[in-house]
């Protein structure tokens, strides 16, 4: 569904950030070709410690830092 929506607007999923604090969130976004971004708040510290993040995952202290990166 999301891939069809983005394709209809001519967008590449690689330009779309996927922000989450759980591994399954990041894996889902990465499977669609999105840029996985882990925030260390919520379950993020636990997720980071467990390892196994998708390749290329960016890590930020919190959502505000992640958003600042996205809009810059």
């Amino acid at each position: 569904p999301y891939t069809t929506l983005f394709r209809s607007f001519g967008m590449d999923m690689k330009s779309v950030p996927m922000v989450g604090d759980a591994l399954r969130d990041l894996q889902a976004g990465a499977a669609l070709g999105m840029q996985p971004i882990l925030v260390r708040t919520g379950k993020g510290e636990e997720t980071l410690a467990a390892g196994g993040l998708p390749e290329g995952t960016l890590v930020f202290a919190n959502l505000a830092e992640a958003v600042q990166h996205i809009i810059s």
Side-chain angles (χ1 to χ4, degrees):
Y2 287 114
T3 54
T4 303
L5 174 65
F6 285 107
R7 283 188 195 132
S8 68
F9 287 105
M11 293 180 67
D12 182 356
M13 294 297 284
K14 291 180 183 175
S15 66
V16 179
M18 170 35 195
V19 180
D21 66 350
L23 181 60
R24 67 182 179 174
D25 299 336
L26 302 174
Q27 289 171 329
L32 293 173
M34 301 170 89
Q35 170 60 63
I37 299 175
L38 174 70
V39 290
R40 297 177 87 152
T41 51
K43 296 182 264 182
E45 284 293 341
E46 184 179 316
T47 300
L48 184 60
L53 298 176
E55 186 176 334
T57 299
L58 302 176
V59 180
F60 293 96
N62 53 46
L63 184 57
E65 284 188 10
V67 169
Q68 186 61 42
H69 170 79
I70 292 166
I71 63 174
S72 64

